[in-house]
């Protein structure tokens, strides 16, 4: 019985739909959920901002253990090199080479004649195959393309080194029996497909994407592109359920853990639907207190730095040594160090910089019958700068005021609060993690006033960003 690989394109589809409303942290969480579900392939967005997008893909590669990480490229060798440098650390890397095969898309979207497109496909697939063990050629708009060109393009891609060939019914106008016939004709005219994996991607324009995908599987397709969130392609839950229930009848099985499906689908829907308020600095909520990192005094610097990388930090050698020394001091006094404590260590020990901004004062007002407001005053170059903002709570309002003073919105990757002493005058510790140009900056604040601790932590992280980006 053969395996039908399930590829999830949710992350890629979100990027195409609206510039992606998922934060950096949300995307890592989505990748973890899909990996846990047993999805064969997780499709990442293409790389536009080399530094930020490459860091995201590297972070996903470190997070995901079982799934293949697929990264699409443009039709040139330079794009292949950038994508490979980002995904090569994945346990199972894949480079995708999408190209149009219909005349309309070739000429109006890519401004290429058929001959030029064929050469671009050959050259790009060959460049990808030279560095990556798994290359996928995606024939976009295949069902509306010229059949002779489509067959030749697939043959050329296989000859150049593609191991997976995916054909797309972008129009979604075919019924299951029509798509089944299309796949049959494809295999008859391109016998080379017997040596590679045939994949399909179906539009849901007629609400039949899942049925068409399963029809293709019956004809020999062994990979299906799906979405775990509601997009115009086959649905992950539907395809997995159909194959798990009926796949044995035509000799296939699906690797997705359908027992966990409902719970994971709800979590993914929450990630995709939880939109950031336009008046809030909180992109992805507050840390839920769970910890995926447990270290002890027996761990060496390599183990500690691996854990630091998994949290999203990219430290230079000097900061890495400073963090490790601070870690050893704390680890000598307690049995375990979790991710929240490691965050605090990084915030305290890494990248100590001169203070561009200093906190002068703050005033907050909140209650159950008024909107929360914050008036924050900072000192920069000896001059006072201030802002007044309204938010969903006093900390929300204070962070928004700080954003307005800085003149830039930084993605708030994480925000942690914990008590470090007990009693009515207990000290509160906060860690704020800001994301700028693909790099995380952590700040730490301690105060008997948790709002004050939060503001200090934000200012601490902000100073690190300003220092590094204006050097």
């Amino acid at each position: 019985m053969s395996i039908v690989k399930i590829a999830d394109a949710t992350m890629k589809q979100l990027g195409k739909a609206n510039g992606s409303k998922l934060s950096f942290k949300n995307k890592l969480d989505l990748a973890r959920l899909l990996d846990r579900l047993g999805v064969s392939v997780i499709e990442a967005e293409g790389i536009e901002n080399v530094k930020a997008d490459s860091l995201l893909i590297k972070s996903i590669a470190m997070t995901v253990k079982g799934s293949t990480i697929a990264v699409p490229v443009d039709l040139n060798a330079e794009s292949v090199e950038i994508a490979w440098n980002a995904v090569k650390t994945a346990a199972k890397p894949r480079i995708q080479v999408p190209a149009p095969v219909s005349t309309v898309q070739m000429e109006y979207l890519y401004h290429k004649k058929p001959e030029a497109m064929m050469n671009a496909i050959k050259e790009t697939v060959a460049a990808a195959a030279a560095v990556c063990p798994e290359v996928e050629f995606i024939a976009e708009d295949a069902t509306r393309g010229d059949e002779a060109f489509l067959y030749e393009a697939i043959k050329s891609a296989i000859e150049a080194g593609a191991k997976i060939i995916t054909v797309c019914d972008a129009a979604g106008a075919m019924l299951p029996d029509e798509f089944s016939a299309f796949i049959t004709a494809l295999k008859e005219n391109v016998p080379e497909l017997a040596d590679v994996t045939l994949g399909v991607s179906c539009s849901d324009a007629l609400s039949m994407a899942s049925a068409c995908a399963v029809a293709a599987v019956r004809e020999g397709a062994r990979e299906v592109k799906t979405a775990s969130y509601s997009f115009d392609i086959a649905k992950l839950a539907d395809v997995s359920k159909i194959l798990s229930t009926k796949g044995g009848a035509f000799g296939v099985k699906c690797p997705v853990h359908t027992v966990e499906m409902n719970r994971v689908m709800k979590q993914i829907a929450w990630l995709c639907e939880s939109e950031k308020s336009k008046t809030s600095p909180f992109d992805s909520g507050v840390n839920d207190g769970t910890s995926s990192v447990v270290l002890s005094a027996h761990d060496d610097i390599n183990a500690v730095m691996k854990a630091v990388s998994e949290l999203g930090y990219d430290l230079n050698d000097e900061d890495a040594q400073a963090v490790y020394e601070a870690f050893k001091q704390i680890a000598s006094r307690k049995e375990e160090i979790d991710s929240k404590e490691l965050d605090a260590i990084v915030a305290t020990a890494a990248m100590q910089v001169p203070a561009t901004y200093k906190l002068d004062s703050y005033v907050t007002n909140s209650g159950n019958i008024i909107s929360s407001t914050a008036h924050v005053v900072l000192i920069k170059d000896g001059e006072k700068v201030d802002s007044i903002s309204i938010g969903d709570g006093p900390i929300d309002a204070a962070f928004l005021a700080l954003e307005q003073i800085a003149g830039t919105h930084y993605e708030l990757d994480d925000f942690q609060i914990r008590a470090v002493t007990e009693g009515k005058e207990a000290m509160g510790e906060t860690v704020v993690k800001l994301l700028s140009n693909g790099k995380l900056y952590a700040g730490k604040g301690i105060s008997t006033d948790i709002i004050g601790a939060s503001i200090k932590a934000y200012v601490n992280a902000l100073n690190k960003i300003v220092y590094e980006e204006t050097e």
Side-chain angles (χ1 to χ4, degrees), residues 268-315:
I268 290 175
W270 182 87
L271 285 174
C272 295
E273 293 170 4
S274 298
E275 295 194 40
K276 178 181 119 46
S277 167
K278 294 181 180 178
T279 61
S280 173
F282 288 82
D283 294 272
S284 32
V286 180
N287 186 279
D288 62 4
T290 59
S291 176
S292 59
V293 173
V294 178
L295 299 170
S296 71
H298 302 293
D299 289 298
D300 61 14
I301 188 170
N302 292 325
V304 174
M305 287 306 107
K306 181 180 178 183
V308 168
S309 296
E310 289 176 353
L311 292 176
Y313 296 108
D314 181 18
L315 303 182

Short mmCIF file of all heavy atoms in Angstrom, two decimals, residues 268-315:
data_model
loop_
_atom_site.label_atom_id
_atom_site.label_comp_id
_atom_site.label_asym_id
_atom_site.label_seq_id
_atom_site.Cartn_x
_atom_site.Cartn_y
_atom_site.Cartn_z
N ILE A 268 -5.46 26.01 14.54
CA ILE A 268 -4.99 26.69 13.33
C ILE A 268 -5.97 27.80 12.95
O ILE A 268 -5.56 28.91 12.57
CB ILE A 268 -4.81 25.69 12.18
CG1 ILE A 268 -3.61 24.78 12.48
CG2 ILE A 268 -4.62 26.42 10.84
CD1 ILE A 268 -3.41 23.67 11.47
N ALA A 269 -7.26 27.53 13.07
CA ALA A 269 -8.27 28.56 12.77
C ALA A 269 -8.10 29.75 13.69
O ALA A 269 -8.20 30.91 13.27
CB ALA A 269 -9.67 27.98 12.90
N TRP A 270 -7.81 29.49 14.96
CA TRP A 270 -7.60 30.59 15.91
C TRP A 270 -6.39 31.44 15.50
O TRP A 270 -6.44 32.68 15.53
CB TRP A 270 -7.39 30.03 17.33
CG TRP A 270 -7.22 31.12 18.36
CD1 TRP A 270 -8.20 31.76 19.05
CD2 TRP A 270 -5.98 31.69 18.79
NE1 TRP A 270 -7.65 32.70 19.88
CE2 TRP A 270 -6.29 32.69 19.74
CE3 TRP A 270 -4.64 31.46 18.46
CZ2 TRP A 270 -5.31 33.45 20.38
CZ3 TRP A 270 -3.67 32.22 19.09
CH2 TRP A 270 -4.00 33.20 20.04
N LEU A 271 -5.31 30.77 15.08
CA LEU A 271 -4.12 31.50 14.64
C LEU A 271 -4.42 32.39 13.44
O LEU A 271 -3.99 33.54 13.37
CB LEU A 271 -3.00 30.52 14.27
CG LEU A 271 -2.23 29.82 15.38
CD1 LEU A 271 -1.27 28.80 14.79
CD2 LEU A 271 -1.47 30.83 16.24
N CYS A 272 -5.19 31.84 12.49
CA CYS A 272 -5.44 32.56 11.24
C CYS A 272 -6.50 33.64 11.38
O CYS A 272 -6.51 34.60 10.61
CB CYS A 272 -5.88 31.57 10.15
SG CYS A 272 -4.60 30.37 9.69
N GLU A 273 -7.39 33.49 12.36
CA GLU A 273 -8.50 34.43 12.49
C GLU A 273 -8.29 35.49 13.55
O GLU A 273 -9.03 36.47 13.60
CB GLU A 273 -9.79 33.65 12.81
CG GLU A 273 -10.25 32.78 11.65
CD GLU A 273 -11.36 31.84 12.04
OE1 GLU A 273 -11.82 31.91 13.21
OE2 GLU A 273 -11.78 31.02 11.20
N SER A 274 -7.29 35.32 14.42
CA SER A 274 -7.05 36.29 15.49
C SER A 274 -6.28 37.48 14.95
O SER A 274 -5.05 37.50 14.97
CB SER A 274 -6.27 35.63 16.64
OG SER A 274 -7.00 34.58 17.18
N GLU A 275 -7.02 38.43 14.43
CA GLU A 275 -6.40 39.61 13.82
C GLU A 275 -5.95 40.61 14.86
O GLU A 275 -6.59 40.83 15.87
CB GLU A 275 -7.37 40.29 12.86
CG GLU A 275 -7.72 39.43 11.66
CD GLU A 275 -8.40 40.24 10.58
OE1 GLU A 275 -7.97 41.38 10.35
OE2 GLU A 275 -9.36 39.74 9.99
N LYS A 276 -4.81 41.23 14.60
CA LYS A 276 -4.30 42.28 15.47
C LYS A 276 -5.13 43.54 15.33
O LYS A 276 -5.45 43.98 14.24
CB LYS A 276 -2.84 42.60 15.10
CG LYS A 276 -2.21 43.72 15.90
CD LYS A 276 -0.80 43.96 15.44
CE LYS A 276 -0.55 45.34 14.91
NZ LYS A 276 -1.03 46.45 15.61
N SER A 277 -5.46 44.14 16.46
CA SER A 277 -6.17 45.41 16.44
C SER A 277 -5.29 46.49 15.82
O SER A 277 -4.08 46.52 16.03
CB SER A 277 -6.55 45.82 17.87
OG SER A 277 -6.96 47.16 17.89
N LYS A 278 -5.87 47.34 15.04
CA LYS A 278 -5.09 48.41 14.42
C LYS A 278 -4.55 49.39 15.44
O LYS A 278 -3.67 50.18 15.15
CB LYS A 278 -5.97 49.16 13.39
CG LYS A 278 -6.36 48.31 12.19
CD LYS A 278 -7.19 49.09 11.21
CE LYS A 278 -7.58 48.24 10.00
NZ LYS A 278 -8.43 48.98 9.05
N THR A 279 -5.11 49.39 16.64
CA THR A 279 -4.65 50.32 17.68
C THR A 279 -3.90 49.59 18.78
O THR A 279 -3.80 50.07 19.89
CB THR A 279 -5.85 51.06 18.28
OG1 THR A 279 -6.74 50.10 18.88
CG2 THR A 279 -6.57 51.87 17.24
N SER A 280 -3.39 48.40 18.48
CA SER A 280 -2.67 47.65 19.51
C SER A 280 -1.32 47.20 19.00
O SER A 280 -1.18 46.81 17.85
CB SER A 280 -3.48 46.42 19.93
OG SER A 280 -2.72 45.61 20.79
N PRO A 281 -0.30 47.22 19.87
CA PRO A 281 1.01 46.70 19.48
C PRO A 281 1.11 45.20 19.59
O PRO A 281 2.10 44.60 19.20
CB PRO A 281 1.96 47.38 20.48
CG PRO A 281 1.12 47.54 21.71
CD PRO A 281 -0.28 47.82 21.21
N PHE A 282 0.08 44.54 20.15
CA PHE A 282 0.15 43.11 20.38
C PHE A 282 -0.22 42.35 19.11
O PHE A 282 -1.37 42.30 18.71
CB PHE A 282 -0.80 42.70 21.51
CG PHE A 282 -0.31 43.13 22.87
CD1 PHE A 282 -0.51 44.42 23.33
CD2 PHE A 282 0.37 42.23 23.66
CE1 PHE A 282 -0.05 44.81 24.58
CE2 PHE A 282 0.83 42.61 24.92
CZ PHE A 282 0.62 43.91 25.38
N ASP A 283 0.80 41.75 18.45
CA ASP A 283 0.57 41.02 17.20
C ASP A 283 0.11 39.60 17.44
O ASP A 283 -0.69 39.06 16.71
CB ASP A 283 1.87 40.96 16.37
CG ASP A 283 2.28 42.34 15.90
OD1 ASP A 283 1.82 42.74 14.83
OD2 ASP A 283 3.04 43.02 16.60
N SER A 284 0.63 38.96 18.46
CA SER A 284 0.34 37.54 18.62
C SER A 284 0.06 37.15 20.05
O SER A 284 0.29 36.05 20.46
CB SER A 284 1.50 36.70 18.08
OG SER A 284 2.73 37.32 18.23
N GLY A 285 -0.48 38.07 20.81
CA GLY A 285 -0.93 37.72 22.15
C GLY A 285 0.18 37.63 23.16
O GLY A 285 1.30 38.03 22.94
N VAL A 286 -0.17 37.06 24.31
CA VAL A 286 0.74 36.95 25.43
C VAL A 286 1.18 35.51 25.58
O VAL A 286 0.44 34.58 25.30
CB VAL A 286 0.04 37.43 26.72
CG1 VAL A 286 0.98 37.32 27.91
CG2 VAL A 286 -0.42 38.87 26.55
N ASN A 287 2.42 35.31 26.01
CA ASN A 287 2.94 33.98 26.20
C ASN A 287 2.02 33.16 27.10
O ASN A 287 1.56 33.64 28.12
CB ASN A 287 4.33 34.07 26.84
CG ASN A 287 5.01 32.73 26.94
OD1 ASN A 287 4.74 31.95 27.83
ND2 ASN A 287 5.90 32.48 26.01
N ASP A 288 1.76 31.91 26.72
CA ASP A 288 0.80 31.10 27.46
C ASP A 288 1.41 30.36 28.64
O ASP A 288 0.74 29.61 29.32
CB ASP A 288 0.13 30.09 26.53
CG ASP A 288 1.13 29.12 25.93
OD1 ASP A 288 2.32 29.18 26.27
OD2 ASP A 288 0.70 28.27 25.12
N GLY A 289 2.69 30.59 28.86
CA GLY A 289 3.33 29.99 30.02
C GLY A 289 3.91 28.61 29.77
O GLY A 289 4.56 28.05 30.63
N THR A 290 3.67 28.04 28.61
CA THR A 290 4.24 26.73 28.32
C THR A 290 5.71 26.87 27.98
O THR A 290 6.16 27.90 27.51
CB THR A 290 3.52 26.06 27.14
OG1 THR A 290 3.62 26.89 25.98
CG2 THR A 290 2.06 25.84 27.47
N SER A 291 6.47 25.83 28.22
CA SER A 291 7.90 25.87 27.98
C SER A 291 8.33 24.65 27.20
O SER A 291 8.02 23.52 27.55
CB SER A 291 8.67 25.94 29.31
OG SER A 291 10.06 25.88 29.08
N SER A 292 9.05 24.89 26.10
CA SER A 292 9.56 23.78 25.30
C SER A 292 11.05 23.57 25.55
O SER A 292 11.67 22.73 24.93
CB SER A 292 9.32 24.06 23.81
OG SER A 292 9.96 25.27 23.43
N VAL A 293 11.66 24.35 26.47
CA VAL A 293 13.08 24.29 26.75
C VAL A 293 13.29 23.91 28.20
O VAL A 293 12.70 24.52 29.10
CB VAL A 293 13.76 25.64 26.46
CG1 VAL A 293 15.21 25.61 26.91
CG2 VAL A 293 13.67 25.97 24.98
N VAL A 294 14.09 22.87 28.44
CA VAL A 294 14.49 22.53 29.81
C VAL A 294 15.98 22.25 29.78
O VAL A 294 16.44 21.31 29.13
CB VAL A 294 13.73 21.29 30.33
CG1 VAL A 294 14.21 20.96 31.74
CG2 VAL A 294 12.23 21.53 30.34
N LEU A 295 16.75 23.08 30.48
CA LEU A 295 18.20 22.96 30.53
C LEU A 295 18.65 22.79 31.97
O LEU A 295 17.91 23.11 32.91
CB LEU A 295 18.87 24.20 29.92
CG LEU A 295 18.56 24.50 28.45
CD1 LEU A 295 19.09 25.87 28.08
CD2 LEU A 295 19.18 23.44 27.55
N SER A 296 19.87 22.30 32.15
CA SER A 296 20.43 22.15 33.49
C SER A 296 21.90 22.54 33.46
O SER A 296 22.46 22.85 32.40
CB SER A 296 20.30 20.70 33.97
OG SER A 296 21.19 19.86 33.25
N ALA A 297 22.52 22.50 34.64
CA ALA A 297 23.93 22.88 34.75
C ALA A 297 24.84 21.95 33.95
O ALA A 297 25.99 22.29 33.67
CB ALA A 297 24.35 22.88 36.22
N HIS A 298 24.33 20.79 33.56
CA HIS A 298 25.14 19.83 32.81
C HIS A 298 25.22 20.16 31.32
O HIS A 298 26.03 19.58 30.60
CB HIS A 298 24.57 18.42 32.98
CG HIS A 298 24.50 17.96 34.40
ND1 HIS A 298 25.63 17.71 35.16
CD2 HIS A 298 23.44 17.75 35.23
CE1 HIS A 298 25.28 17.34 36.38
NE2 HIS A 298 23.95 17.35 36.45
N ASP A 299 24.39 21.08 30.86
CA ASP A 299 24.39 21.42 29.43
C ASP A 299 25.56 22.34 29.09
O ASP A 299 25.85 23.30 29.83
CB ASP A 299 23.07 22.10 29.05
CG ASP A 299 21.90 21.12 29.04
OD1 ASP A 299 21.95 20.18 28.24
OD2 ASP A 299 20.97 21.30 29.85
N ASP A 300 26.22 22.06 27.95
CA ASP A 300 27.34 22.89 27.53
C ASP A 300 26.85 24.08 26.70
O ASP A 300 25.64 24.23 26.46
CB ASP A 300 28.37 22.08 26.75
CG ASP A 300 27.80 21.45 25.48
OD1 ASP A 300 26.70 21.85 25.04
OD2 ASP A 300 28.47 20.57 24.91
N ILE A 301 27.78 24.89 26.23
CA ILE A 301 27.40 26.11 25.50
C ILE A 301 26.68 25.79 24.20
O ILE A 301 25.77 26.53 23.80
CB ILE A 301 28.65 27.00 25.24
CG1 ILE A 301 28.21 28.36 24.67
CG2 ILE A 301 29.64 26.30 24.31
CD1 ILE A 301 29.35 29.37 24.61
N ASN A 302 27.03 24.67 23.56
CA ASN A 302 26.35 24.32 22.30
C ASN A 302 24.88 24.01 22.54
O ASN A 302 24.02 24.43 21.75
CB ASN A 302 27.04 23.12 21.66
CG ASN A 302 28.44 23.44 21.18
OD1 ASN A 302 28.70 24.55 20.72
ND2 ASN A 302 29.34 22.48 21.27
N ALA A 303 24.58 23.30 23.61
CA ALA A 303 23.19 22.97 23.92
C ALA A 303 22.40 24.23 24.29
O ALA A 303 21.25 24.40 23.87
CB ALA A 303 23.13 21.97 25.08
N VAL A 304 23.04 25.11 25.04
CA VAL A 304 22.37 26.35 25.44
C VAL A 304 22.12 27.23 24.22
O VAL A 304 21.03 27.80 24.06
CB VAL A 304 23.20 27.11 26.50
CG1 VAL A 304 22.56 28.47 26.81
CG2 VAL A 304 23.31 26.29 27.77
N MET A 305 23.10 27.34 23.33
CA MET A 305 22.92 28.19 22.15
C MET A 305 21.90 27.60 21.18
O MET A 305 21.20 28.34 20.49
CB MET A 305 24.27 28.38 21.43
CG MET A 305 25.22 29.32 22.16
SD MET A 305 24.47 30.93 22.51
CE MET A 305 24.19 30.80 24.28
N LYS A 306 21.78 26.27 21.14
CA LYS A 306 20.74 25.66 20.31
C LYS A 306 19.37 26.04 20.84
O LYS A 306 18.45 26.38 20.08
CB LYS A 306 20.90 24.14 20.31
CG LYS A 306 19.85 23.44 19.45
CD LYS A 306 20.02 21.92 19.47
CE LYS A 306 18.93 21.24 18.64
NZ LYS A 306 19.03 19.77 18.68
N ALA A 307 19.23 26.01 22.18
CA ALA A 307 17.96 26.41 22.79
C ALA A 307 17.67 27.88 22.56
O ALA A 307 16.52 28.28 22.29
CB ALA A 307 17.99 26.12 24.29
N VAL A 308 18.70 28.71 22.62
CA VAL A 308 18.54 30.14 22.35
C VAL A 308 18.08 30.36 20.91
O VAL A 308 17.19 31.18 20.64
CB VAL A 308 19.87 30.90 22.62
CG1 VAL A 308 19.80 32.32 22.08
CG2 VAL A 308 20.16 30.93 24.12
N SER A 309 18.65 29.60 19.97
CA SER A 309 18.24 29.71 18.56
C SER A 309 16.80 29.29 18.36
O SER A 309 16.07 29.90 17.59
CB SER A 309 19.16 28.86 17.68
OG SER A 309 20.49 29.33 17.72
N GLU A 310 16.37 28.24 19.08
CA GLU A 310 14.99 27.78 18.96
C GLU A 310 14.00 28.82 19.48
O GLU A 310 12.85 28.86 19.05
CB GLU A 310 14.81 26.46 19.73
CG GLU A 310 15.50 25.29 19.04
CD GLU A 310 15.41 24.01 19.84
OE1 GLU A 310 14.92 24.07 21.00
OE2 GLU A 310 15.84 22.96 19.34
N LEU A 311 14.46 29.68 20.39
CA LEU A 311 13.61 30.77 20.87
C LEU A 311 13.55 31.91 19.86
O LEU A 311 12.74 32.83 20.01
CB LEU A 311 14.13 31.30 22.21
CG LEU A 311 14.00 30.35 23.41
CD1 LEU A 311 14.64 30.98 24.65
CD2 LEU A 311 12.56 30.01 23.69
N GLY A 312 14.42 31.86 18.84
CA GLY A 312 14.36 32.86 17.78
C GLY A 312 15.49 33.86 17.76
O GLY A 312 15.54 34.74 16.90
N TYR A 313 16.45 33.73 18.68
CA TYR A 313 17.54 34.71 18.76
C TYR A 313 18.70 34.33 17.85
O TYR A 313 18.99 33.16 17.64
CB TYR A 313 18.07 34.83 20.19
CG TYR A 313 17.06 35.36 21.18
CD1 TYR A 313 16.49 34.53 22.14
CD2 TYR A 313 16.69 36.70 21.17
CE1 TYR A 313 15.57 35.00 23.05
CE2 TYR A 313 15.76 37.18 22.08
CZ TYR A 313 15.21 36.32 23.01
OH TYR A 313 14.29 36.80 23.90
N ASP A 314 19.39 35.35 17.35
CA ASP A 314 20.59 35.17 16.53
C ASP A 314 21.70 35.98 17.18
O ASP A 314 21.85 37.17 16.93
CB ASP A 314 20.32 35.66 15.10
CG ASP A 314 21.51 35.48 14.18
OD1 ASP A 314 22.41 34.70 14.54
OD2 ASP A 314 21.56 36.15 13.13
N LEU A 315 22.48 35.34 18.06
CA LEU A 315 23.49 36.04 18.85
C LEU A 315 24.87 35.95 18.22
O LEU A 315 25.22 34.93 17.61
CB LEU A 315 23.56 35.45 20.27
CG LEU A 315 22.26 35.43 21.09
CD1 LEU A 315 22.55 34.86 22.48
CD2 LEU A 315 21.64 36.81 21.20
#
